[in-house]
Amino acid sequence: MGDASKSIIYFVIASVTVLVTVYLVMTTIHLNIISETKGPIHWHADFEIWVCDKKIELFEPRGLSNKQGVDLMHAHNDNRIHVEGVLIDKKAASLGTFFYAVGGSLSDDGIKVPTDDGIVSAHDGDLCNGKAGKIYAFVNGNLIANPREYAISPYEKVPPGDRIKIVFTEKS
């Protein structure tokens, strides 16, 4: 290969490297500027799910990532919600988003949780211990309305981060 060919190849490789680096830097800066959190975050909230007096556990993580969910919202088989990354909107750190990320759902009147034995679901009015049950959501011991919309508190440690308990029961 001649000197001219080597120079052209070097220039192409250097140009591509510089362009990719500039693009990544600018994208990162732009995301941090437009995000509500003004940069990456790492928040946690502990959670428990109970259906008719039985504690429900999420499915075992599979693969190399060792997580249940997606990069932004996940758990590591530790009953702890992990919110990691840049939040454009705090709604992206809601309980509804977490359940969706792990393959389930949460609403005002029901829950679906993926477990190793399949989906566990419960909706208001379903039978629980022979009586009509209802879904309740508690954050730090306080009953909350509209649990799907509840956004995780911005803390890395628990406490002061949230302790969340979702219960489907026939009891009031």
Side-chain angles (χ1 to χ4, degrees):
M1 200 183 293
D3 286 341
S5 297
K6 287 179 185 177
S7 293
I8 291 171
I9 290 172
Y10 175 78
F11 178 75
V12 168
I13 290 172
S15 297
V16 168
T17 302
V18 167
L19 288 172
V20 168
T21 302
V22 168
Y23 173 78
L24 291 174
V25 167
M26 296 306 292
T27 301
T28 301
I29 291 170
H30 174 71
L31 281 174
N32 288 326
I33 288 171
I34 66 168
S35 75
E36 266 189 61
T37 56
K38 300 302 178 204
I41 52 103
H42 192 143
W43 299 342
H44 294 119
D46 289 347
F47 71 94
E48 293 181 25
I49 303 165
W50 293 82
V51 174
C52 298
D53 302 321
K54 180 182 175 197
K55 188 172 184 181
I56 305 300
E57 300 287 343
L58 288 176
F59 63 92
E60 288 288 325
R62 294 175 190 89
L64 297 175
S65 69
N66 188 37
K67 60 177 87 159
Q68 303 143 313
V70 297
D71 288 340
L72 183 63
M73 293 280 289
H74 60 270
H76 294 286
N77 202 25
D78 56 0
N79 292 328
R80 177 166 281 182
I81 298 170
H82 298 254
V83 184
E84 301 173 9
V86 177
L87 282 179
I88 302 301
D89 183 354
K90 280 193 177 179
K91 291 178 185 174
S94 70
L95 287 176
T97 302
F98 172 71
F99 277 91
Y100 180 78
V102 298
S105 66
L106 177 66
S107 65
D108 294 344
D109 65 349
I111 187 169
K112 289 183 182 177
V113 183
T115 70
D116 287 329
D117 298 322
I119 298 286
V120 172
S121 66
H123 293 86
D124 286 358
D126 290 352
L127 291 182
C128 181
N129 299 320
K131 297 179 183 172
K134 181 169 174 45
I135 191 100
Y136 298 95
F138 300 89
V139 175
N140 301 323
N142 299 311
L143 182 65
I144 62 168
N146 203 4
R148 181 179 51 138
E149 302 297 325
Y150 181 80
I152 304 300
S153 295
Y155 297 104
E156 185 174 341
K157 297 187 185 294
V158 179
D162 294 329
R163 294 175 322 268
I164 299 162
K165 190 171 188 176
I166 299 170
V167 181
F168 178 77
T169 184
E170 79 283 5
K171 302 167 190 163
S172 60

